[in-house]
Each structure stands twice: as structure tokens, then as C-alpha cells.
């Protein structure tokens, strides 16, 4: 007899604070698309998270819509997955308040992202920046997600989400599924092209340090040609060769090649050739995204229909979880 096992659930999110980088794509988004058949997927543009740093309202609105279209261009299929804008599903914020009462001040103080952002934005260390990981836990737990596909930088936030879930379940009985991070083996932390000891980030002041996934091929080539490497000129993956290791990881993801294969392809050749080939491979990997985005960005009505339907689908699940939580904690439902 064949049993139809229910699909496991996936949730992930991304901030609409600019065009996604190659790091976002390799570390997270490319995996989101590939999980849509096997899992019940929820993917959010997390605009509530974005306002922990001051945003221009018009820019935020435009970027949220552009980023939504960009997710579809990266292969998210709104017929298969709930692709939505976080603020359209108010249950996230409602659960976040409740979970904040199950989160310790000390736990939040230990979050490295809070420490980084509060030193970077020292003029605006707001409470939202501090409680950010609680909202992220709510995003995940409200769908009872089994897996959360993210880059390595989100690991600490996921551990906290699990701790909050365990604490709540211990007090009130089995309620939340304990989520597990799904961190790719290759490319979990794509590094800056100008400082390979720092993470590639779209908020970097130096635009040569990151590749945006909509950069035209000439710009991608230029950025890779300028990428920081080292003074020995041998293409091999080895401790201390941060720049080359990063480029090898990127090239490996873009071509499907292993490190030994890459090392033999470039044996006896200099870095110039390697950087050119990496640029070409990345430009080619991102070509379908660029083309699909150009097509979709004119389809405003279609995009609106997609995010409206995505929010309805997500809200139905989120609302049911919230009601269960209200009941368990003693609210009159
Ligand atoms: P955000 O918007 O900074 O990044 C989105 C995703 O991209 C990954 N990423 C990277 N991966 C590899 N190399 C890099 N250089 C790189 N830069 C970014 C991130 O790990 C992430 O997976 N807090 C989250 C958003 C969020 C979320 C959630 C994620 C809110 N709620 C619930 C998962 C589940 C963030 O700021 O991601």
C-alpha cells in the first residue's frame, strides 16, 4: 500500500533593502526554487525586518515590489509556493509579541547581528533591532517550518528560534515544530570581492565588493577582474587564500565543478584567466534571472495578483497557529 506522506514545510525570508547579491542567491535563493516540488514552501519579503534600519518610505515600497518580482525571476513559482510580503500577514507581528515574552534579554544581547548592527547604526539602536530575532522566530514557528534554507550568517537566529520553541512547548505542551537550518555545503558564506575576510553584503559602501544579481555581464566581468586575491598566483583551495577560495567556491557553484577539477583546469595559468572565467560563469548563471526579471517587471498586475494570493495562503496557516497559541496561553478565543 502506498501512503501519501504530508509534505514537510519550508519557510525563508529576505529583506527588501536592495537588489539581491550573488551571496543571497548562492547562499539562499537558488535553494528555495529547488525545494518547491518536495516541500510545502512559504517565502517572504520581510519588510517588517527592514525597518529596524531607517528606510525612505518610497524607496522601501518600490524595493519591496521589485524584490518580489526578483524572487519570481529566480524561479519561485507562486502556483506552487506561498510567496508573500511579511506585513500583509499580521499574525507574524502578533505572534512576535507573544514570543518576546518567552525570550530572555540575555539571549538577545548575545546575538552577533545585533552587536554588528548596533555598532554600524549607533545613532539608531532601536528596540526593533534588539527584538529582530524574535520576529524572525515568529516567521518560522507560525508555519511550523521543518527546514529553513539560509546562509551561514543566520545560524544563530535559527538556534534562538529553536530555543524559543522548546521553551514555549515545555510550558504549554507540544505546539511548535522545531525548525532546522538548511545551510548549503557550498556557498553558505560568499565573501566580499574587495575584502575576502568580510561577508558579501548589499549594504557595503563599496559597490565593487558585491555582485548584484541584475548587474549586466560587463559589470560582473569588471568586478571579478578587480577581485582581491593574493600574491602567489596558484589557483588552489587552501587556508589563508581567502580571496581565491571565495572565487573557487563561486566558480564551483556556477559550473558544478569540484575544487580538484577547478585546480586542474587552471594549473599553470595565472589568476587573470581564472577571474575572467569566473566572471563569465557567473554572468551566464544569472542570465535567466536577468531576462525573466526584465519580462516580469512590466507585469505589475500579475505581480499584485501573486502577492495578494500569496498572503491569503500564508495567512490561513498563520492565523490557525496563532489561534492555537492564543488558546494555550489563556486568551479568550
Ligand atoms: P538577509 O536579507 O540578510 O539575507 C537573505 C538570505 O541570504 C543569505 N545571505 C548570504 N548567504 C551566503 N553568503 C552571503 N554573503 C550572504 N548574504 C546573505 C542569508 O543568510 C539569508 O538566508 N534575518 C534574515 C531575513 C529573515 C529570515 C526570516 C530568514 C527574516 N525572517 C525567517 C529565514 C527565516 C536576513 O536578514 O536575511
Amino acid at each position: 500500500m502506498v501512503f501519501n506522506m504530508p509534505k514537510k514545510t519550508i519557510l525563508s525570508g529576505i529583506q527588501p533593502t536592495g537588489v539581491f547579491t550573488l551571496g543571497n542567491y548562492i547562499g539562499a535563493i537558488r535553494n528555495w526554487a529547488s525545494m518547491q516540488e518536495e516541500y510545502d514552501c512559504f517565502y517572504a519579503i520581510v519588510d517588517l525586518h527592514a525597518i529596524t534600519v531607517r528606510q525612505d518610505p518610497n524607496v522601501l515600497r518600490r524595493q519591496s515590489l521589485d524584490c518580489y518580482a526578483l524572487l519570481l525571476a529566480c524561479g519561485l513559482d507562486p502556483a506552487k509556493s506561498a510567496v508573500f510580503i511579511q506585513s500583509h500577514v499580521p499574525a507574524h507581528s502578533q505572534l512576535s509579541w507573544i514570543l518576546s515574552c518567552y525570550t530572555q534579554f540575555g539571549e538577545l544581547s548575545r546575538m552577533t547581528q545585533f552587536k554588528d548592527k548596533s555598532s554600524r547604526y549607533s545613532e539608531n539602536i532601536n528596540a526593533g533591532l534588539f527584538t529582530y530575532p524574535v520576529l524572525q522566530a515568529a516567521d518560522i514557528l507560525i508555519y511550523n517550518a521543518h527546514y529553513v534554507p539560509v546562509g551561514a550568517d543566520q545560524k544563530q537566529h535559527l538556534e534562538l528560534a529553536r530555543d524559543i520553541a522548546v521553551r514555549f512547548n515545555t510550558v504549554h505542551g507540544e505546539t511548535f515544530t522545531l525548525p532546522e537550518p538548511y545551510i548549503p555545503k557550498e556557498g553558505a558564506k560568499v565573501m566580499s570581492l574587495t575584502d575576502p575576510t568580510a561577508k558579501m553584503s548589499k549594504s557595503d559602501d563599496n559597490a565593487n565588493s558585491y555582485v548584484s544579481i541584475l548587474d549586466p555581464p560587463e559589470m560582473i566581468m569588471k568586478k571579478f577582474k578587480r577581485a582581491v586575491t593574493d600574491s602567489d598566483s596558484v589557483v588552489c583551495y587552501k587556508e589563508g587564500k581567502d580571496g581565491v577560495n571565495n572565487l573557487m567556491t563561486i566558480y564551483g557553484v556556477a559550473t558544478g565543478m569540484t575544487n580538484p577539477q577547478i585546480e586542474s583546469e587552471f594549473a599553470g595559468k595565472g589568476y587573470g584567466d581564472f577571474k575572467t572565467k569566473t566572471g563569465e560563469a557567473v554572468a551566464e548563471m544569472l542570465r535567466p534571472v536577468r531576462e525573466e526579471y526584465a519580462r516580469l517587471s512590466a507585469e505589475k498586475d500579475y505581480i499584485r495578483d501573486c502577492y495578494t494570493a500569496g498572503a491569503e495562503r500564508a495567512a490561513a496557516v498563520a492565523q490557525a497557529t496563532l489561534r492555537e497559541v492564543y488558546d494555550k496561553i489563556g486568551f479568550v478565543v
Side-chain angles (χ1 to χ4, degrees), residues 62-74:
R62 181 173 48 71
Q63 283 183 339
S64 296
L65 295 172
D66 290 350
C67 287
Y68 187 94
L70 201 45
L71 283 185
L72 302 193
C74 290

Side-chain angles (χ1 to χ4, degrees), residues 44-192:
I45 295 289
V46 293
D47 51 353
L48 295 171
H49 280 96
I51 63 160
T52 51
V53 170
R54 203 64 76 220
Q55 305 286 343
D56 175 317
N58 290 322
V59 175
L60 179 62
R61 199 170 359 259
R62 181 173 48 71
Q63 283 183 339
S64 296
L65 295 172
D66 290 350
C67 287
Y68 187 94
L70 201 45
L71 283 185
L72 302 193
C74 290
L76 297 196
D77 180 350
K80 292 183 187 148
S81 306
V83 188
F84 64 101
I85 297 174
Q86 186 188 30
S87 63
H88 291 180
V89 184
H92 289 233
S93 315
Q94 293 167 299
L95 182 62
S96 179
W97 169 255
I98 294 168
L99 296 183
S100 72
C101 302
Y102 293 77
T103 309
Q104 299 303 302
F105 180 88
E107 288 176 308
L108 293 176
S109 318
R110 287 193 288 277
M111 295 290 119
T112 52
Q113 184 176 299
F114 171 70
K115 291 188 213 162
D116 292 349
K117 284 205 175 168
S118 51
S119 66
R120 200 183 154 112
Y121 303 100
S122 54
E123 76 298 343
N124 181 22
I125 307 177
N126 59 74
L129 204 55
F130 190 64
T131 57
Y132 178 114
V134 183
L135 178 59
Q136 182 161 347
D139 298 339
I140 298 167
L141 301 181
I142 206 156
Y143 299 102
N144 283 302
H146 296 87
Y147 302 110
V148 184
V150 283
D153 62 339
Q154 296 299 314
K155 197 160 174 261
Q156 197 187 27
H157 285 168
L158 286 194
E159 281 160 7
L160 179 68
R162 269 179 85 91
D163 291 346
I164 296 172
V166 168
R167 189 169 299 137
F168 190 96
N169 289 352
T170 307
V171 177
H172 298 290
E174 257 347 273
T175 308
F176 296 119
T177 302
L178 300 190
E180 279 178 37
Y182 176 94
I183 296 175
K185 272 204 216 66
E186 301 299 337
K189 192 169 184 191
V190 176
M191 309 308 277
S192 154

